[in-house]
Amino acid sequence: MSLYPRRALALAALALVVLASCARPFGRQYEYEEEIYIGLDGSATVIVNSSLAALAALHGLDVPLDPSAPVDRDRVRQLYTATGIEVTRVSRPWRRDGRRFVQVRLNVSDVRRLPETAPFAWARYTFTRADDSLQYVQELGASQGTAVGDVGWDGQELVAVRLHVPSRVTFHNAPSRLVERGNILSWEQPLKARLAGEPLRVEARFGVQRILVLTVALFLAAMAAAAVTVAGLIWWVVRKGHQRAARQA
């Protein structure tokens, strides 16, 4: 292989690595974002994409703000780890607008235990069941409001909570009033409002059956209805044939 194809392959591989590291390379950009994949049993997978500056300002976490200082990913992992909470990944830092960002992925056995760690202590979580529906509520209160100096913020930065619901949504209070791709809800707030401690309430109610199970059930019901219809048509045709034969006899 010549030198130029090798360079092209190397650049393509590097681009893929960069895109994989970034939370949303082509979509809306957030300074701090929580993606919560809630389970029907109250367990959750949480993905946090945030600048180090936002982690320090919002949660008071001890993370380096100097762009040239090394990032201790094990230290970041420890800040999120607690009983019932397993950190599965801390990404390599990436840069945007001169600031470094990281992604933290974790699994929690009960979403209501998240406030036991400092990064989620600003919120209160409830997960309840009533009859044939489940309710998830996340109420964000005051942030730490730690001063971080001039890190390049211009006042346009956004914070977001995105909830991935496992079943059909029956109610939500997302400002957009939209359910994205069938099961994703989004709440946004200006970073300056979050730093000022303006409350944010996330609420959603949904069914107790997974979307896949419900889809399969609907498919099977449609197939059964089609089979009944076909059987009815066959019976009608056969009956008409017998009646015609009887008249001719």
Side-chain angles (χ1 to χ4, degrees):
M1 183 181 293
S2 65
L3 179 61
Y4 290 108
R6 288 180 180 175
R7 286 181 177 175
L9 287 174
L11 289 173
L14 178 61
L16 287 174
V17 169
V18 171
L19 290 176
S21 300
C22 299
R24 202 179 305 278
F26 302 115
R28 197 166 175 82
Q29 301 292 329
Y30 299 107
E31 192 72 14
Y32 177 90
E33 176 190 26
E34 292 180 6
E35 291 215 63
I36 302 165
Y37 295 78
I38 188 71
L40 294 176
D41 59 354
S43 62
T45 295
V46 182
I47 302 175
V48 177
N49 300 293
S50 175
S51 68
L52 295 179
L55 291 181
L58 294 173
H59 302 310
L61 300 188
D62 183 16
V63 291
L65 300 181
D66 183 350
S68 62
V71 177
D72 187 345
R73 290 191 289 164
D74 288 334
R75 170 62 178 160
V76 175
R77 179 185 298 272
Q78 292 172 5
L79 294 172
Y80 279 87
T81 300
T83 303
I85 300 176
E86 177 194 10
V87 178
T88 59
R89 181 176 187 264
V90 177
S91 73
R92 293 181 179 276
W94 72 89
R95 292 180 183 269
R96 193 175 77 224
D97 299 329
R99 296 182 294 279
R100 287 184 298 180
F101 287 70
V102 293
Q103 181 183 91
V104 180
R105 298 183 180 224
L106 56 92
N107 295 325
V108 56
S109 57
D110 185 340
V111 72
R112 292 168 291 191
R113 302 193 65 173
L114 282 175
E116 295 177 12
T117 63
F120 300 104
W122 65 356
R124 185 170 68 91
Y125 300 80
T126 58
F127 184 82
T128 56
R129 177 168 181 166
D131 299 328
D132 59 347
S133 67
L134 298 167
Q135 182 185 44
Y136 173 85
V137 178
Q138 179 180 348
E139 297 174 287
L140 278 70
S143 69
Q144 289 292 322
T146 304
V148 294
D150 183 5
V151 293
W153 290 335
D154 61 10
Q156 303 302 311
E157 292 77 19
L158 293 173
V159 169
V161 175
R162 290 168 56 82
L163 181 66
H164 297 251
V165 181
S167 60
R168 185 174 64 87
V169 178
T170 58
F171 169 83
H172 67 87
N173 69 336
S176 67
R177 301 183 180 180
L178 299 176
V179 181
E180 305 170 35
R181 288 181 282 174
N183 71 328
I184 304 174
L185 302 167
S186 298
W187 291 259
E188 294 182 357
Q189 189 179 44
L191 174 63
K192 56 185 177 183
R194 186 90 293 274
L195 287 170
E198 292 185 15
L200 177 64
R201 179 181 173 88
V202 171
E203 182 178 358
R205 291 196 289 270
F206 44 94
V208 297
Q209 283 189 315
R210 291 189 178 277
I211 290 178
L212 178 60
V213 173
L214 185 60
T215 302
V216 171
L218 291 174
F219 175 76
L220 293 176
M223 291 291 292
V228 169
T229 300
V230 171
L233 288 173
I234 293 173
W235 173 83
W236 183 81
V237 170
V238 171
R239 182 171 179 272
K240 286 294 183 180
H242 284 305
Q243 289 176 347
R244 188 178 298 109
R247 285 197 299 270
Q248 290 175 352

